[in-house]
Amino acid sequence: MADPIGPVAQGIRDRIAMVRVLCIGFMIFVHVPDNAFSAAEFSVGVPPASWLTQGVLVEGLGRASAALLSLVSGILTAVALTRSPPSSLYRRRFRSIVLPMIIWSTVTVIVYAVLSLLRPTFLTLGDVPPLQALLFYVNTIFFLTEQPLGPTLHLGFLRDLFVCLLLSPILVAILKRTGIALLIVLLIIYLLDLESVFILRPLILLAFSIGLWLMQTGRNLEAADRYWPLWVVLSLVATTLVILSGTEQGLAWPPAQWFLSQGLDFRETVVYPLSRVFGALAIWSLAAKLVGTGWTQRLTRISPYVFVAFCSHYLVLVFLWEGVVRRLVGGHVTTGYAIWFVLAPFIAMFAAMVIVEVLARIAPSVAALLTGGRAGTARARDAG
């Protein structure tokens, strides 16, 4: 057995703080309204340069970021379990993760319920049995049995992350006895896309467990840094395969057809996993180059707002797009849309800063609930 879990070096802590900001920024790209990859038909007519840029940011870095954030959470949870009992960790994370998830999803549902009085929305189910409709609405807020498609979909990530936290003492105990065997089992579950009521996204559980394992076995978290050019190249190659595999020609590839005959999706089982692995390694290793530079201070200053940006970005961007931006840029195939797409994470971050600072001044208790207790972080830091 390698070295036991110890304190995380300050350089790694700085990098983790930076990775959180970068990953949430990349994840926001995935949910920019009408991007070329939010639906298959949107890719038609999009300029090639814009289409490829969106592909790299959405299908590459954006989707890899969820895996890296889960892995980082596993690393920090492993350390936290050595400092306090699980019950204390559960209480803190319930306040900082679950309560904001419920509040933001409820706010989103209320907003769309009001809109439903004027026009059909995702809440307009049509001819659906009452019990099925009730379960849909409950899952839209609490994600008890599934993740319904809609504007709260991204918040299901928090639900699964909290389940991983609840499982963390058990996962650590199993890892001590079986080591990498548990990771192999979780990898198979992920590749086969075996979702369950207990864990909605197998990827999150796998990545979180890898983070626990890295700390449990005392792995060097800087070992991959020197290979950063390789991770960048492989990430771009894998992302290109993701993009191509979603086209009609890609669906007709012999490997894709073989996986389809076995009841599997070639894209989900092979190409996406490669893209997520290499994308996560690229982000992690490149973040090391930002530590100690001017970017450290810039990203640190906005770090108290990134959680709210994650929770609110879909609602903010959809309302800006439908209310203002679409009329200005004229659609998703224009140069104006490409500019809006690139600026979207910055707009979402700015909106989060406004939300946090305004609420912290006029309704501190509400700000604490919406931010999971993070509302005072920026002010306390500035005072220090």
Side-chain angles (χ1 to χ4, degrees), residues 196-219:
S196 68
V197 172
F198 199 63
I199 191 77
L200 301 179
R201 295 183 182 179
L203 171 65
I204 297 175
L205 180 59
L206 170 63
F208 182 89
S209 300
I210 292 174
L212 293 177
W213 175 77
L214 288 172
M215 295 305 293
Q216 185 65 49
T217 56
R219 301 289 170 171

Side-chain angles (χ1 to χ4, degrees), residues 94-275:
F94 184 85
R95 290 194 299 267
S96 64
I97 295 178
V98 177
L99 279 182
M101 178 198 78
I102 295 173
I103 293 171
W104 279 106
S105 57
T106 301
V107 169
T108 302
V109 168
I110 291 173
V111 170
Y112 274 85
V114 173
L115 285 178
S116 296
L117 300 176
L118 305 175
R119 53 180 291 186
T121 68
F122 83 106
L123 296 174
T124 309
L125 300 182
D127 188 17
V128 175
L131 287 179
Q132 184 178 340
L134 177 62
L135 184 60
F136 173 84
Y137 295 134
V138 169
N139 280 327
T140 299
I141 294 176
F142 300 101
F143 309 99
L144 295 181
T145 62
E146 64 178 348
Q147 293 185 115
L149 294 176
T152 64
L153 177 67
H154 62 291
L155 295 170
F157 174 80
L158 301 177
R159 181 265 198 202
D160 272 352
L161 196 59
F162 185 70
V163 171
C164 289
L165 288 164
L166 294 178
L167 289 173
S168 57
I170 299 173
L171 293 171
V172 168
I174 297 175
L175 284 169
K176 286 181 179 178
R177 288 175 171 79
T178 67
I180 201 171
L182 173 63
L183 302 182
I184 294 174
V185 172
L186 295 178
L187 175 62
I188 293 172
I189 291 174
Y190 162 57
L191 294 179
L192 296 179
D193 198 25
L194 299 179
E195 297 180 5
S196 68
V197 172
F198 199 63
I199 191 77
L200 301 179
R201 295 183 182 179
L203 171 65
I204 297 175
L205 180 59
L206 170 63
F208 182 89
S209 300
I210 292 174
L212 293 177
W213 175 77
L214 288 172
M215 295 305 293
Q216 185 65 49
T217 56
R219 301 289 170 171
N220 179 9
L221 299 179
E222 300 174 321
D225 293 353
R226 57 181 171 172
Y227 302 111
W228 70 265
L230 176 63
W231 307 137
V232 171
V233 170
L234 291 177
S235 174
L236 291 174
V237 171
T239 302
T240 302
L241 291 175
V242 168
I243 296 171
L244 294 177
S245 65
T247 63
E248 291 184 6
Q249 295 83 354
L251 294 173
W253 287 348
Q257 290 297 309
W258 183 87
F259 273 85
L260 185 62
S261 67
Q262 306 302 311
L264 299 172
D265 188 325
F266 174 71
R267 204 180 192 204
E268 293 290 343
T269 306
V270 178
V271 187
Y272 263 135
L274 292 176
S275 176

Side-chain angles (χ1 to χ4, degrees), residues 328-377:
L328 294 177
V329 305
H332 63 274
V333 298
T334 62
T335 302
Y337 180 86
I339 296 172
W340 149 257
F341 176 85
V342 172
L343 293 178
F346 301 96
I347 295 170
M349 291 286 183
F350 178 76
M353 293 173 66
V354 172
I355 291 170
V356 171
E357 292 301 323
V358 170
L359 286 178
R361 284 169 171 77
I362 66 175
S365 59
V366 176
L369 287 173
L370 288 175
T371 64
R374 300 170 178 85
T377 306

